[in-house]
Amino acid sequence: MVIIMQSGASTQEIGAIVKQIELAGMRAHLSQGEERTIIGMVGNDRPIDRSTFELMSGVDRVVPILRPYKLASRDFKKDDTVIQISTGQRTIRIGGAANGLAMMAGPCAVETREQIIESAHLVKAAGANILRGGAFKPRTSPYSFQGHGENALKWLAEAREQTGLAIVTEVMSPDQVPLVSQYADILQVGARNMQNFALLNAVGMSTRPVLLKRGMMSTMEELLMAAEYILSNGNYNVMLCERGIRTFETYTRNTLDINAVPVLKALSHLPVIVDPSHATGKWEYVTAVSKAAVAAGADGLIIEVHPNPAQAMSDGAQSLTPESYTKLVAKVRRVAEAVDRTV
Ligand code: PEP
Ligand code: MN
């Protein structure tokens, strides 16, 4: 249930509602809008008497949320969530039609200090505002390169210092959250970990924004329920990422579910990011799919770019050269303008 307060409701009135919710064995989540406060009531599914709240002072109305995800739902919060990230040198706003697209780019994995610093300068020059690069890599084979761990995080931080780009990097387990949070601006939860509930709880308790990737065999509702874990722990800065799902088609690595963009934006207020690199698995198709994603209403793109894709330690086949990424940005900018967004 969501309790919509009258505009101008006092702190005392809001406090009384919160207390009443807690008495009912539920948790209260406050969303402070420009005009009024909305209080989300989440917890068990026990029936609650709506009139208890309807009669309380300062309450405008009480709206039941029928969907299983509550805090992630548009019914709870009508306005788009805008996530603000400050790198010290610049402020980036992700989500909300008035804000530019989040352009995340960089190699699949951080391979060397030189490679990530060179990548940072190159993607920044091309128009990116966020640098990606894995320090901890979830690899199908235990014999594949697993990432440079904390050294890679230090190199990413150095790249941020030199360029002002924000950093997004993957965190694979709850015990890594404090370490990765020390260096990263955005914590990525990878597709393989979308339903790692211990990890979702851990990033939910962190103060860092989270990029939550859709599992390759997960429904949109499961993605939203995974986001709900993070939100219900008090971290409201969550981005949903469509990165392709498994289908019978094998020519491309995955199949981008373009439907997910308008559907997730309709069901939820959270920003939606598209990853055309893992969706296609082939760099040749990344530009076309990026344009489609932006045309469909995505709030940003996360794209793999490597200074020398042929030498990449992971995902070389889907990595763009800096030159092709520069061209991609120019094309995406024109599509963005057509749908009233900017790059
Ligand atoms: C990645 O971003 O490099 C990655 C491993 O992505 P996903 O979790 O979507 O496969
Ligand atoms: Mn990758």
Side-chain angles (χ1 to χ4, degrees):
M1 255 171 15
V2 177
I3 298 162
I4 300 167
M5 301 301 289
Q6 291 163 0
S7 57
S10 70
T11 322
Q12 286 82 347
E13 286 168 332
I14 294 167
I17 303 284
V18 171
K19 209 165 157 204
Q20 188 64 39
I21 290 173
E22 287 167 358
L23 271 176
M26 312 270 284
R27 274 184 293 164
H29 289 264
L30 265 61
S31 164
Q32 217 88 47
E34 294 214 334
E35 281 221 345
R36 52 178 84 215
T37 298
I38 294 175
I39 307 173
M41 190 169 164
V42 293
N44 54 36
D45 292 327
R46 258 190 295 149
I48 298 280
D49 187 5
R50 261 169 76 175
S51 59
T52 311
F53 292 95
E54 277 163 343
L55 295 170
M56 287 178 75
S57 158
V59 172
D60 179 8
R61 64 205 140 92
V62 178
V63 184
I65 302 183
L66 301 173
R67 301 191 190 277
Y69 44 88
K70 311 286 178 192
L71 304 172
S73 134
R74 274 264 182 223
D75 302 330
F76 172 60
K77 185 169 178 278
K78 283 225 163 10
D79 300 333
D80 290 333
T81 283
V82 175
I83 298 172
Q84 193 163 307
I85 294 162
S86 180
T87 67
Q89 296 175 49
R90 62 159 89 186
T91 300
I92 300 161
R93 287 182 187 81
I94 305 174
N99 295 312
L101 300 179
M103 295 295 282
M104 310 181 187
C108 179
V110 177
E111 298 170 0
T112 63
R113 178 179 168 275
E114 292 66 34
Q115 174 247 19
I116 195 63
I117 288 180
E118 186 187 357
S119 300
H121 286 283
L122 291 168
V123 299
K124 183 189 179 184
N129 51 4
I130 300 166
L131 176 68
R132 65 149 290 146
F136 295 100
K137 294 303 302 173
R139 303 305 299 279
T140 301
S141 163
Y143 308 119
S144 300
F145 173 57
Q146 305 284 313
H148 287 303
E150 187 167 7
N151 283 334
L153 295 172
K154 288 184 177 155
W155 300 330
L156 283 165
E158 199 179 336
R160 170 179 51 216
E161 229 160 81
Q162 287 193 25
T163 59
L165 297 174
I167 302 296
V168 56
T169 194
E170 179 157 356
V171 53
M172 283 174 47
S173 62
D175 58 294
Q176 285 172 358
V177 173
L179 177 72
V180 178
S181 302
Q182 260 181 57
Y183 297 96
D185 300 288
I186 303 171
L187 306 177
Q188 174 174 322
V189 172
R192 290 156 192 79
N193 268 322
M194 191 204 83
Q195 284 190 318
N196 178 340
F197 300 114
L199 179 61
L200 298 175
N201 284 332
V203 298
M205 286 183 251
S206 155
T207 54
R208 295 280 179 221
V210 176
L211 177 73
L212 175 64
K213 299 188 95 175
R214 179 178 180 183
M216 54 191 96
M217 303 211 281
S218 300
T219 64
M220 291 187 236
E221 185 164 301
E222 286 163 342
L223 171 61
L224 290 164
M225 291 307 286
E228 191 76 13
Y229 266 85
I230 304 172
L231 299 168
S232 66
N233 276 285
N235 187 347
Y236 302 115
N237 291 325
V238 177
M239 291 158 253
L240 306 170
C241 179
E242 164 59 39
R243 46 78 72 205
I245 52 174
R246 275 206 177 159
T247 65
F248 53 81
E249 182 54 71
T250 54
Y251 186 76
T252 49
R253 184 175 180 182
N254 291 289
T255 299
L256 182 82
D257 183 6
I258 193 79
N259 298 351
V261 179
V263 172
L264 292 172
K265 292 207 59 91
L267 296 178
S268 175
H269 49 86
L270 299 171
V272 175
I273 307 295
V274 169
D275 176 346
S277 307
H278 292 87
T280 59
K282 295 182 177 173
W283 73 269
E284 302 92 297
Y285 307 118
V286 169
T287 300
V289 171
S290 299
K291 290 189 287 183
V294 170
D299 296 299
L301 297 168
I302 180 163
I303 294 178
E304 288 188 341
V305 179
H306 194 287
N308 185 354
Q311 301 290 314
M313 292 173 80
S314 61
D315 288 351
Q318 66 193 36
S319 298
L320 295 181
T321 60
E323 295 73 37
S324 14
Y325 181 65
T326 306
K327 289 183 191 153
L328 175 150
V329 174
K331 289 181 179 158
V332 161
R333 183 169 285 132
R334 294 177 60 196
V335 174
E337 281 163 15
V339 294
D340 301 320
R341 297 296 293 261
T342 54
V343 173

